[in-house]
Amino acid sequence: LQDIRNTVGNIPMEWYQDFPHVGYNLDGKKIYKPIRNKDELDMFLEKMENPDYWRTVQDKMTGADIKLTDEQVDLVHRLQRGQFGDVHFDPYEPAVDFFTHEVMVHPVTNRPADKRSFIPSLTEKEKVSKLVHAIKMGWIKPRKPKDDTPTYYDLWAHEDPNSILGRHKMHVPAPKMKLPGHEESYNPPPEYLLSEEEKLAWEQQEPAERKLNFVPQQYRCLRAVPAYSRFIHERFERCLDLYLCPRQRKMRVNVDPEDLIPKLPKPRDLQPFPTTQALVYRGHTSLVRCLSISPSGQWLVSGSDDCTVRFWEVCTARCMKTLPVGGVVKSVAWNPNPTICLVAICVEQSVLLVNPCLGDKLLYGATDQLLESYVAPEEERVQPVQWVMATAEEHSKGVRLVVQHSKAVKQVTWHGKGDYFASVVSDNSNMQVLIHQTSKRWSQNPFRKSKGLVQCVLFHPIRPYFFVATQRYVRVYNLLKQELTKKLMTNCKWVSSMAIHPGGDNIICGSYDSKLAWFDLDLSTRPYQLLRHHKKALRSVAFHKHYPLFASGSDDGTIIVCHGMVYNDLLQNPLLVPVKVLKGHAMTLDLGVLDVLFHPTQPWVFSSGADGTVRLYT
């Protein structure tokens, strides 16, 4: 247990206001303040969502937030009620009689009284004479008799004409009373008297709703008029009116509430974007975890927990091929190079490189020739993985190479040129991320030490950057200089996925605490915007290659498509507008949409779900 006792002693903690630390621990090391960057909104959300917010206090000595235990809360309640701090202390214990109640006949001591006890004291005499002299000289004023007569004053007699409000002639005169009308006469004309029904209606009304606050009555002569019963009440209300009358005019700024809301364009001006479910690709018997699409947009590949990978024709929803792989498929990735026909598939502890043999025969024939033209180097190199040629049986299914890892692989992603790919391993060491080169069949481990649990990785579409997302942060590495360029704070508890804008300057991260963070890399390392549109965890996010669209899929079974326009003008911030919520997937085992993916050329979005289907929205 770390000892964080603060040894600065009993001093005002305000002295440390401008320092990054709040004191020193027992070894003399500085105790740094915890990073407190919560704004009002975060405080409010924490107040709403954190059930222990009311019992969390900040320790002034260490700056840390401390959650009070039940005993401490009890102690605070007791002290607020004016009780004793100690529960076991009884303030009403029976009194113990120290002295005997029998009165003694003889005194305890029989010493004769002192002489000083019956001679007037000289020191007292001196003090009194000094006070008398001071009163005579007028240095000390004796107490004035209290004046019991009540004081009245005019509220408005001494108004400063030079005050700010005086200068603007904002003087408000005291309100005048309404002059009495015919209905207040002792002998009103008959039309002012209330009939029986009107009287009943008057009695049933609320006092605030009545037109008159009295019932008009008729008397024979002025002598017959009795004393007015509501006289004191009305005088009191008049006094209230006078002293509560607002003495200044409020300067009101007329703000149109519409002006405070940012002007977002209407979704129909932002078309095209996917709006309706067009096709459902059925065939998998379990969760469909991952999707990938060929660069031409003609073929779709999906990997599922039913231990198969299926290849579909996009336009017809026809399953062209089913490849059993003997394990749960965690990730699939189609090579982005349009001249190569290869798909990388993560199955348990290996990455399979599969030639699906779909489409142009010349294309997939050339891919096989390219793989077979590999010449092994003379000397064996030490590698973190093993590259194994597929057996004859696997070759007939389409598998060409197997990259065997030491632990289970959870993600694979290609570099834009299509020669390199990266894989993420479920491990907590520095072997989590590996980068492989297909043409040389050579793998390397780029990181010396682990910086946390890696969730997913991405290559930059244009520049030599590599994005690594851990639970809380996204680190951006420069592959040429081999150094960390940036560290993005996601403000999320657990990042699940990320995608990069084809321009390369903006990335989005989805998280399991149902937030989507948009980062503008040129702007800041903190999110440009946090979108909280989903009710449950986000499983996947995706950008479109050409259209200003991005989408997120969540466990609430919906896909939210947003318009994300990035301007060439560097001074203009990106415009983010949610345009469509797409529904269709059935919730299964509390899971909804597991992966989303855009078509490379059309404004269409694919989604795969826990209900075993892949859906296309156009």
Side-chain angles (χ1 to χ4, degrees):
L1 186 71
Q2 185 192 1
D3 185 5
I4 53 160
R5 266 178 295 176
N6 196 343
T7 59
V8 291
N10 186 11
I11 61 154
M13 292 312 287
E14 291 85 63
W15 291 358
Y16 280 98
Q17 245 171 11
D18 302 332
F19 292 101
H21 59 289
V22 287
Y24 304 89
N25 60 12
L26 294 177
D27 304 336
K29 300 238 173 45
K30 290 180 179 177
I31 301 176
Y32 285 96
K33 293 177 186 168
I35 299 166
R36 307 182 73 82
N37 52 2
K38 287 183 185 165
D39 56 16
E40 292 292 324
L41 202 55
D42 285 327
M43 296 288 277
F44 174 70
L45 285 171
E46 189 176 5
K47 190 170 177 178
M48 291 295 126
E49 291 167 4
N50 182 2
D52 292 322
Y53 178 82
W54 63 275
R55 59 160 70 194
T56 310
V57 294
Q58 187 195 352
D59 181 4
K60 285 268 173 54
M61 292 289 272
T62 58
D65 282 343
I66 294 175
K67 184 179 143 192
L68 298 181
T69 60
D70 288 347
E71 291 85 31
Q72 289 168 326
V73 174
D74 277 351
L75 174 63
V76 172
H77 283 333
R78 274 204 307 282
L79 293 177
Q80 281 176 337
R81 288 198 299 265
Q83 296 173 350
F84 288 94
D86 185 3
V87 195
H88 307 298
F89 180 74
D90 179 12
Y92 306 114
E93 283 178 351
V96 179
D97 200 356
F98 290 108
F99 302 101
T100 53
H101 53 278
E102 292 102 6
V103 181
M104 291 186 179
V105 181
H106 299 292
V108 181
T109 64
N110 205 2
R111 215 173 102 230
D114 290 330
K115 184 180 178 185
R116 65 167 177 260
S117 65
F118 47 85
I119 290 181
S121 163
L122 288 174
T123 43
E124 280 178 18
K125 181 182 171 185
E126 209 171 291
K127 275 186 187 167
V128 171
S129 62
K130 271 188 185 168
L131 289 171
V132 170
H133 179 62
I135 290 171
K136 276 183 182 168
M137 297 300 288
W139 300 331
I140 296 180
K141 297 269 190 293
R143 288 198 195 101
K144 285 198 189 97
K146 267 195 179 164
D147 186 13
D148 288 339
T149 53
T151 52
Y152 302 111
Y153 56 93
D154 183 354
L155 271 172
W156 291 292
H158 308 292
E159 277 215 326
D160 179 12
N162 300 327
S163 67
I164 293 177
L165 298 165
R167 267 210 306 278
H168 288 302
K169 294 287 168 272
M170 297 287 278
H171 175 72
V172 179
K176 288 195 167 63
M177 280 185 79
K178 191 166 78 72
L179 293 172
H182 290 307
E183 67 274 7
E184 293 188 51
S185 162
Y186 74 95
N187 186 9
E191 63 265 25
Y192 286 99
L193 294 172
L194 301 183
S195 64
E196 288 300 318
E197 289 91 43
E198 287 174 324
K199 257 188 198 168
L200 267 172
W202 183 88
E203 280 162 10
Q204 282 163 1
Q205 271 180 322
E206 291 285 317
E209 290 172 1
R210 293 172 181 164
K211 270 192 188 150
L212 299 172
N213 51 5
F214 62 94
V215 180
Q217 282 172 320
Q218 191 171 28
Y219 296 100
R220 195 168 39 81
C221 58
L222 203 50
R223 271 180 322 202
V225 178
Y228 182 41
S229 57
R230 295 188 71 247
F231 174 73
I232 292 181
H233 188 253
E234 283 191 2
R235 288 289 92 198
F236 175 68
E237 288 203 335
R238 171 67 179 157
C239 292
L240 283 187
D241 283 348
L242 285 175
Y243 108 87
L244 292 176
C245 165
R247 302 295 294 145
Q248 63 187 59
R249 294 205 184 104
K250 282 211 174 81
M251 300 281 202
R252 285 202 58 193
V253 182
N254 289 325
V255 177
D256 184 11
E258 295 298 317
D259 296 347
L260 299 174
I261 301 168
K263 289 276 176 283
L264 289 179
K266 292 193 170 63
R268 68 162 180 271
D269 303 339
L270 303 175
Q271 284 169 338
F273 53 82
T275 53
T276 50
Q277 180 176 306
L279 290 173
V280 181
Y281 302 75
R282 298 187 193 278
H284 283 294
T285 55
S286 183
L287 326 177
V288 185
R289 271 189 199 276
C290 45
L291 293 173
S292 187
I293 193 161
S294 64
S296 63
Q298 189 179 0
W299 314 104
L300 181 73
V301 57
S302 62
S304 163
D305 279 19
D306 60 8
C307 305
T308 64
V309 172
R310 284 176 183 257
F311 293 90
W312 313 84
E313 189 173 17
V314 167
C315 299
T316 59
R318 175 164 162 238
C319 180
M320 306 298 288
K321 229 178 195 188
T322 303
L323 174 66
V325 289
V328 170
V329 181
K330 286 282 170 61
S331 174
V332 292
W334 203 299
N335 194 316
N337 187 342
T339 61
I340 297 174
C341 185
L342 257 192
V343 179
I345 300 168
C346 289
V347 181
E348 287 172 353
Q349 299 197 0
S350 47
V351 175
L352 313 179
L353 293 180
V354 175
N355 184 346
C357 300
L358 293 171
D360 188 350
K361 197 164 186 183
L362 290 172
L363 190 68
Y364 64 74
T367 305
D368 277 351
Q369 283 173 357
L370 187 72
L371 289 172
E372 282 156 16
S373 66
Y374 167 73
V375 182
E378 277 90 38
E379 53 186 78
E380 242 345 86
R381 292 182 290 187
V382 180
Q383 294 199 47
V385 299
Q386 279 183 307
W387 291 72
V388 183
M389 287 293 286
T391 61
E393 185 196 351
E394 288 177 331
H395 196 281
S396 63
K397 291 182 188 170
V399 182
R400 299 292 181 259
L401 284 170
V402 181
V403 187
Q404 293 175 348
H405 293 61
S406 56
K407 295 263 174 70
V409 189
K410 62 181 178 186
Q411 192 219 349
V412 61
T413 178
W414 288 95
H415 184 264
K417 298 259 174 59
D419 188 19
Y420 288 90
F421 66 94
S423 60
V424 180
V425 179
S426 316
D427 186 8
N428 206 2
S429 66
N430 58 347
M431 299 283 284
Q432 289 186 85
V433 181
L434 300 170
I435 294 182
H436 317 272
Q437 189 177 4
T438 323
S439 57
K440 295 190 177 164
R441 297 192 190 172
W442 158 242
S443 304
Q444 55 190 341
N445 167 21
F447 299 116
R448 271 204 299 277
K449 60 174 187 255
S450 157
K451 287 277 174 68
L453 217 58
V454 175
Q455 303 300 313
C456 51
V457 295
L458 258 182
F459 287 100
H460 193 286
I462 313 159
R463 292 197 281 280
Y465 287 131
F466 189 53
F467 295 85
V468 178
T470 54
Q471 273 185 22
R472 288 275 181 89
Y473 306 104
V474 176
R475 291 180 171 79
V476 187
Y477 293 95
N478 187 326
L479 293 170
L480 286 181
K481 297 183 182 170
Q482 298 188 351
E483 65 182 18
L484 175 66
T485 313
K486 265 185 190 155
K487 180 174 163 187
L488 309 177
M489 322 280 177
T490 61
N491 287 6
C492 302
K493 292 194 178 124
W494 195 312
V495 173
S496 63
S497 49
M498 66 175 166
I500 185 158
H501 189 269
D505 288 336
N506 295 269
I507 74 164
I508 51 177
C509 291
S511 79
Y512 291 121
D513 47 342
S514 53
K515 292 188 236 179
L516 186 145
W518 173 296
F519 291 93
D520 189 335
L521 297 180
D522 300 335
L523 199 66
S524 160
T525 57
R526 300 195 174 276
Y528 161 65
Q529 264 190 6
L530 264 180
L531 307 179
R532 296 185 175 86
H533 295 143
H534 284 289
K535 303 277 185 299
K536 290 192 182 171
L538 269 80
R539 294 269 163 197
S540 172
V541 290
F543 266 113
H544 198 289
K545 280 255 187 355
H546 305 294
Y547 289 97
L549 293 174
F550 65 97
S552 55
S554 156
D555 277 347
D556 57 15
T558 62
I559 301 123
I560 292 186
V561 180
C562 301
H563 174 89
M565 186 66 189
V566 175
Y567 297 96
N568 292 334
D569 175 12
L570 291 174
L571 296 175
Q572 201 164 358
N573 284 337
L575 170 75
L576 313 185
V577 187
V579 288
K580 188 73 184 166
V581 179
L582 300 171
K583 294 177 180 164
H585 283 284
M587 297 283 287
T588 314
L589 306 169
D590 273 348
L591 297 173
V593 179
L594 299 177
D595 201 1
V596 291
L597 171 74
F598 278 102
H599 191 280
T601 51
Q602 300 287 346
W604 301 346
V605 69
F606 298 90
S607 67
S608 69
D611 53 1
T613 62
V614 178
R615 292 166 194 260
L616 165 64
Y617 300 89
T618 59

